[in-house]
Amino acid sequence: MAERIQPADPVTLTAREAARRIGSGALSSRALVEACLERIAREDESLRAWKFVDPEKALAEADERDQRRKRGLPLGSLHGVPVGIKDIIDVQGMPTTNGTAVDEGRRPEADATLVRRLRQAGAVILGKTVTTELAYYQPADTRNPHDPERTPGGSSSGSAAAVAAHMVPLAVGTQTHGSVIRPAAFCGVVGFKPTYGAIPRTGVLRLAPTLDQVGVFARSIEDAALAEVVMGADGSDTDVREYPGPLTGTTLSEPPVAPDLAFTGSPAWDRAEEGTEAAFDELREALGDRIEAMEMPEVFARARGWLDAVMRAEMARNVGHYVDRYPDQMSDKLRELVEEGRGIRAPDYLAARDMSTVLHEGLRPIFHRFDAIVTPAVPGEAPVGLDTTGDPAFCSLWTFCGLPCLSLPLLTGPNGLPLGVQLVGQRGQDARLLRTARWLVRQLTEGEAT
Amino acid sequence: MAERIQPADPVTLTAREAARRIGSGALSSRALVEACLERIAREDESLRAWKFVDPEKALAEADERDQRRKRGLPLGSLHGVPVGIKDIIDVQGMPTTNGTAVDEGRRPEADATLVRRLRQAGAVILGKTVTTELAYYQPADTRNPHDPERTPGGSSSGSAAAVAAHMVPLAVGTQTHGSVIRPAAFCGVVGFKPTYGAIPRTGVLRLAPTLDQVGVFARSIEDAALAEVVMGADGSDTDVREYPGPLTGTTLSEPPVAPDLAFTGSPAWDRAEEGTEAAFDELREALGDRIEAMEMPEVFARARGWLDAVMRAEMARNVGHYVDRYPDQMSDKLRELVEEGRGIRAPDYLAARDMSTVLHEGLRPIFHRFDAIVTPAVPGEAPVGLDTTGDPAFCSLWTFCGLPCLSLPLLTGPNGLPLGVQLVGQRGQDARLLRTARWLVRQLTEGEAT
């Protein structure tokens, strides 16, 4: 679908490399932003990853960044780098439509905390990326950059597609069930959902606060570590208790000893496609005795049901008013969600929510023995059709327990499309997870896995 | 009801004074514990404040404390001081029956975090104080020390009565609605419920975790400040985020300027008895222009309904199994609670819970202008009869918002019984609240109120 990119085109740069070159003067922020805007102008009519882009504003911000460098002022780790923001996250002066026509006129007066922090780190907010309706399951019209007939995944569809299509080196998304890991896997980019409570959600559409987690899309693990700039308490989101950063130093370091990995098909293994099983067999073979198969007790398979109960109940509370006010403008999927959520009894909701702690306790011993869990990110390649965003089943347990997760584009499916490998770490050990991921990639590319 | 106590009897000492004397060798922990045990032996058959006392164990602990002093080891701020523990809080080696016959055989294997911390501060755990059934509204048979025909309040009935009757200088209770402030007011002692999330509830019966708060009963404000020894995160109770301590230094200090107080009848003013209104009129007169009447918008009166919804839903989740397993051994009050809680829909529960933040935001401006809110603790004197624990209406708003509250035995009702004055502070400003309370007491006793 996409035009071939010249290797020298700055849109091929990772965020870190772009920031480095802008910092040294080898590249201007304007040149990078112009290149991204050109690519969007050329490709996005068919890809539809962007909901809103303001080229003039972005270029003005880029010029400001270039001026700042020329004046010799201190520069942040994203200085001059354009970033895409999922359209359920408030950006001052840009429309934030939450993926629904009824919010079309909405223009937030303030940046979300994470957007403010991105700006403080020097980023240029390039625009808003397409999301599904209220970040739930009703797809928007974004396509998969690898095959326009296939879904990019959801709900952070535009953020994943835009990074995969080299329209922007870094984009922000959110995950309430599988909305960072799944689209990253389908689009073949790195998706990183940090530990629950690491990134404040102030200024982000509230769906199911017990589950809502912010994440990033990037084209390298090192870039995913830049999520550190948005982490930490902001005094408003009271669920932010962890600060698993800083990440970059550890991510770039060598593991003190070779990591031990646990392989699990995850409680959703019966949903894995044939090609996925085969690809993971090869991966495990390549890793030899550094990876060990792990049986997961039956109870972990129930995470999906508990997560669904919590999500439905909380979303009925938080977005039910959309259905009440605009019944005809909401999808059947959303109306059903709200109806189901309203049928859940409070003690049952509380019982489901409490199981998150129980399951997390059950997972704890794994992380005493292993550095990370290796498991599929998705059942297989991105499914054909734009009427679904695919199955989040491989994310349920980890999201429910708030563990840091990473999707890596390491495998290829039977149709030559990307197949995500998911790495899962212990709560708060995001940096170690990223370091392990870099080690894993090196093992597989350098073939030194024993 | 109670025998007259000689002024020289160590049971008259405050906890601070007792610890000071024990530390200096002027008093032994054994002598104090013996005096308390004697008083319990003489009076508790009629008062019924204690569920369990182990004299031998308490005396052995006291001897250990006395030995420690003689060896010149460092002593905690409660060194050698006996403390009573509400019978929903686990004490290793003592039965914890949660106020219900079905838990009669329960003997916890570990101390609750707060009990462990009390021991670390040198306290002697004297025994378990009587609570209502599962700390809800079905009374036990504890009597009010000022009048055996009246309720001591609940659910921390025994803790309040034991401190009032000079059986122990300090006792721990809990408050989910009004269970520290109400019994303190009815029994004429100081009750202090710190900011929500200040004291870990690990090892405390889980009722409604959004509301459950630990508090203390004492015979002086300075003793209430000793709650500082049990504050702060323990790594288990994830709702502990505040550490409003240390308290004692600030409590004992002079306010930098004379405090400004706001008087409100509270949203429950229409429940106040005639004698209460009259007593508060006098109090306000005595304080002159240091206290200002404040109108509270209508919405705050809805706190009680929202608190009730949250409490019912969460208690149905957490103690519903008692009703399922032992339907005949539970009170009608508890069965109704669980039934009502099970009828609440999850989104309605979540909506009610969210109102706590909204109301707290609404109260914030008050604390910009005033050091504390002055309001009744209870509608009036302890009601006659042991079939009720009285009305918690004057606690609903403050408990729901998690504010620190203090009940001070400053007023007397028409029958000569204590009438509690409640002071409420801003979240996290527990020390300032205690300092303001000491100032208030001095104003009233020294008549310097302008």
Side-chain angles (χ1 to χ4, degrees):
Chain A
M1 175 182 194
E3 253 179 62
R4 209 170 168 77
I5 308 167
Q6 296 304 313
D9 192 322
V11 300
T12 61
L13 298 174
T14 64
R16 273 174 56 84
E17 179 59 18
R20 196 189 65 75
R21 292 197 193 176
I22 293 168
S24 74
L27 175 71
S28 69
S29 176
R30 169 172 271 267
L32 176 58
V33 169
E34 271 177 349
C36 290
L37 289 170
E38 266 170 42
R39 194 148 170 79
I40 293 170
R42 262 199 325 270
E43 304 283 341
D44 205 51
E45 204 175 326
S46 51
L47 191 65
R48 300 177 196 175
W50 295 86
K51 177 68 188 171
F52 178 85
V53 178
D54 186 338
E56 274 182 39
K57 197 154 185 287
L59 289 169
E61 280 184 27
D63 288 342
E64 189 279 333
R65 302 298 186 270
D66 288 330
Q67 281 304 316
R68 190 175 166 88
R69 189 197 69 78
K70 284 178 193 156
R71 291 206 307 276
L73 294 170
L75 310 180
S77 53
L78 281 167
H79 191 81
V81 176
V83 176
I85 306 290
K86 184 177 183 177
D87 201 27
I88 65 162
I89 300 170
D90 285 354
V91 176
Q92 192 269 321
M94 291 188 184
T96 295
T97 69
N98 298 320
T100 169
V102 306
D103 278 344
E104 208 58 65
R106 206 174 155 270
R107 263 179 198 264
E109 286 176 13
D111 281 336
T113 296
L114 73 92
V115 171
R116 199 178 65 240
R117 288 178 179 174
L118 285 170
R119 290 195 207 275
Q120 281 161 358
V124 171
I125 306 302
L126 194 59
K128 307 301 294 289
T129 56
V130 171
T131 173
T132 59
E133 178 194 43
L134 300 172
Y136 194 56
Y137 295 131
Q138 181 64 35
D141 53 4
T142 309
R143 288 154 189 275
N144 191 308
H146 297 274
D147 178 348
E149 302 307 315
R150 291 176 189 257
T151 178
S155 62
S156 310
S157 322
S159 287
V163 170
H166 292 88
M167 292 167 165
V168 72
L170 197 67
V172 179
T174 61
Q175 171 155 320
T176 300
H177 190 169
S179 291
V180 168
I181 295 303
R182 181 159 94 269
F186 287 162
C187 293
V189 296
V190 174
F192 174 39
K193 181 210 74 60
T195 297
Y196 176 83
I199 302 176
R201 298 157 305 176
T202 313
V204 179
L205 179 67
R206 188 179 161 99
L207 300 164
T210 298
L211 301 167
D212 294 341
Q213 297 166 61
V214 177
V216 296
F217 299 87
R219 286 192 305 270
S220 78
I221 296 166
E222 296 82 348
D223 278 6
L226 289 166
E228 67 192 359
V229 307
V230 297
M231 288 180 170
D234 70 344
S236 290
D237 182 345
T238 53
D239 288 323
V240 177
R241 295 177 223 179
E242 303 258 8
Y243 173 62
L247 304 177
T248 295
T250 301
T251 302
L252 296 180
S253 70
E254 283 298 312
V257 291
D260 288 309
L261 303 172
F263 172 78
T264 175
S266 104
W269 190 231
D270 56 345
R271 297 179 182 232
E273 292 166 16
E274 228 171 84
T276 304
E277 295 194 28
F280 271 84
D281 284 347
E282 275 181 49
L283 177 78
R284 289 163 62 187
E285 208 166 304
L287 288 167
D289 62 4
R290 299 257 51 90
I291 193 162
E292 199 175 303
M294 178 180 74
E295 283 292 322
M296 298 209 64
E298 187 56 37
V299 65
F300 291 106
R302 299 180 63 191
R304 177 158 196 171
W306 290 320
L307 178 144
D308 274 340
V310 172
M311 185 167 70
R312 285 174 187 147
E314 295 190 3
M315 284 190 72
R317 154 67 184 143
N318 291 302
V319 304
H321 60 96
Y322 281 96
V323 169
D324 296 338
R325 287 184 62 190
Y326 311 103
D328 303 335
Q329 291 175 76
M330 295 292 140
S331 69
D332 290 346
K333 286 194 178 87
L334 195 82
R335 279 201 304 270
E336 276 161 30
L337 163 85
V338 169
E339 200 180 315
E340 283 168 0
R342 285 179 175 163
I344 296 171
R345 306 287 176 158
D348 297 332
Y349 156 77
L350 290 165
R353 214 184 54 180
D354 285 349
M355 292 313 295
S356 161
T357 312
V358 175
L359 294 186
H360 182 242
E361 282 303 313
L363 293 171
R364 213 180 269 277
I366 298 174
F367 296 107
H368 291 155
R369 261 194 76 196
F370 298 101
D371 292 77
I373 296 168
V374 175
T375 187
V378 279
E381 295 171 317
V384 173
L386 298 179
D387 55 344
T388 171
T389 58
D391 182 354
F394 285 86
C395 296
S396 311
L397 175 59
W398 327 116
T399 298
F400 189 52
C401 293
L403 305 182
C405 305
L406 199 54
S407 181
L408 300 175
L410 292 176
L411 302 176
T412 304
N415 301 297
L417 292 162
L419 204 55
V421 174
Q422 186 169 202
L423 257 68
V424 181
Q426 176 57 305
R427 264 195 218 167
Q429 298 192 6
D430 301 52
R432 185 182 176 193
L433 178 69
L434 293 165
R435 182 180 69 190
T436 303
R438 271 191 86 225
W439 173 90
L440 174 67
V441 172
R442 275 202 312 281
Q443 296 307 301
L444 296 174
T445 50
E446 297 168 12
E448 296 170 353
T450 44
Chain B
M1 171 184 200
E3 255 178 61
R4 210 170 169 78
I5 309 167
Q6 297 305 314
D9 192 324
V11 301
T12 62
L13 297 173
T14 64
R16 273 174 57 85
E17 179 59 18
R20 196 189 65 76
R21 292 198 193 175
I22 293 168
S24 74
L27 175 71
S28 70
S29 176
R30 171 171 270 267
L32 175 58
V33 169
E34 272 177 348
C36 290
L37 289 169
E38 267 171 41
R39 196 151 168 78
I40 292 170
R42 263 201 323 272
E43 304 283 341
D44 204 50
E45 205 175 325
S46 52
L47 191 65
R48 301 176 195 176
W50 296 87
K51 176 70 187 171
F52 178 85
V53 178
D54 186 338
E56 276 182 38
K57 196 156 186 285
L59 288 169
E61 281 184 26
D63 287 342
E64 190 279 333
R65 301 297 186 272
D66 288 330
Q67 282 305 317
R68 190 176 167 87
R69 188 198 69 80
K70 283 178 194 155
R71 291 207 306 277
L73 295 170
L75 309 181
S77 52
L78 282 167
H79 191 81
V81 176
V83 176
I85 305 290
K86 183 178 184 176
D87 200 27
I88 63 163
I89 301 171
D90 284 355
V91 177
Q92 193 269 320
M94 292 189 183
T96 296
T97 70
N98 300 319
T100 169
V102 306
D103 278 344
E104 207 59 63
R106 205 176 156 270
R107 262 179 200 265
E109 288 178 11
D111 282 336
T113 296
L114 73 91
V115 172
R116 199 178 65 240
R117 289 180 178 172
L118 285 170
R119 290 195 207 274
Q120 282 161 358
V124 171
I125 307 303
L126 194 60
K128 309 299 296 288
T129 55
V130 171
T131 172
T132 60
E133 178 195 42
L134 298 172
Y136 193 57
Y137 296 129
Q138 181 65 35
D141 54 3
T142 309
R143 288 154 189 277
N144 192 308
H146 298 273
D147 179 347
E149 301 308 315
R150 293 176 189 257
T151 178
S155 61
S156 311
S157 322
S159 287
V163 170
H166 292 86
M167 293 169 166
V168 72
L170 197 67
V172 180
T174 60
Q175 171 155 319
T176 301
H177 191 169
S179 290
V180 168
I181 295 303
R182 181 160 95 268
F186 286 163
C187 292
V189 296
V190 174
F192 174 38
K193 180 210 75 58
T195 297
Y196 175 85
I199 301 175
R201 299 156 305 176
T202 313
V204 180
L205 179 67
R206 188 179 161 98
L207 300 165
T210 298
L211 301 167
D212 293 343
Q213 297 165 62
V214 176
V216 296
F217 299 87
R219 287 192 304 270
S220 77
I221 296 166
E222 296 82 349
D223 278 6
L226 290 166
E228 66 192 357
V229 307
V230 297
M231 288 180 170
D234 70 344
S236 290
D237 182 344
T238 53
D239 288 323
V240 177
R241 296 178 222 177
E242 302 257 10
Y243 174 62
L247 304 177
T248 295
T250 302
T251 302
L252 296 179
S253 70
E254 283 297 312
V257 293
D260 288 308
L261 303 171
F263 172 78
T264 175
S266 103
W269 191 231
D270 56 346
R271 296 178 182 233
E273 292 166 15
E274 229 172 81
T276 305
E277 294 194 28
F280 273 85
D281 283 347
E282 275 181 49
L283 176 80
R284 289 163 63 188
E285 207 167 304
L287 287 167
D289 61 6
R290 298 257 51 91
I291 191 161
E292 198 174 303
M294 178 181 73
E295 283 291 322
M296 298 209 62
E298 186 56 36
V299 66
F300 291 106
R302 299 179 64 190
R304 177 159 197 171
W306 289 321
L307 178 145
D308 275 339
V310 171
M311 185 166 70
R312 285 174 186 147
E314 296 190 2
M315 285 190 73
R317 154 68 184 143
N318 291 303
V319 304
H321 60 97
Y322 281 95
V323 169
D324 296 337
R325 288 184 61 189
Y326 311 102
D328 303 334
Q329 292 175 75
M330 295 293 141
S331 69
D332 290 346
K333 285 194 178 88
L334 195 80
R335 279 202 303 271
E336 277 162 29
L337 163 84
V338 170
E339 199 180 316
E340 284 168 359
R342 287 180 174 163
I344 295 171
R345 306 287 176 158
D348 297 332
Y349 157 76
L350 290 165
R353 213 184 55 179
D354 285 348
M355 291 313 295
S356 161
T357 312
V358 175
L359 294 186
H360 182 242
E361 283 303 314
L363 292 172
R364 212 180 270 278
I366 297 173
F367 295 106
H368 291 155
R369 264 194 73 197
F370 298 102
D371 292 78
I373 296 168
V374 174
T375 186
V378 279
E381 296 171 318
V384 173
L386 298 179
D387 55 344
T388 171
T389 59
D391 182 355
F394 286 86
C395 297
S396 312
L397 175 60
W398 327 116
T399 298
F400 189 54
C401 293
L403 305 182
C405 305
L406 200 54
S407 180
L408 301 174
L410 292 176
L411 301 177
T412 304
N415 302 298
L417 292 163
L419 204 56
V421 175
Q422 186 168 201
L423 258 67
V424 181
Q426 176 58 307
R427 263 196 216 166
Q429 298 192 6
D430 301 51
R432 184 182 177 193
L433 178 69
L434 293 165
R435 183 180 68 191
T436 303
R438 272 190 88 225
W439 172 90
L440 174 67
V441 171
R442 276 203 311 281
Q443 296 307 301
L444 296 174
T445 49
E446 297 169 13
E448 296 171 349
T450 45

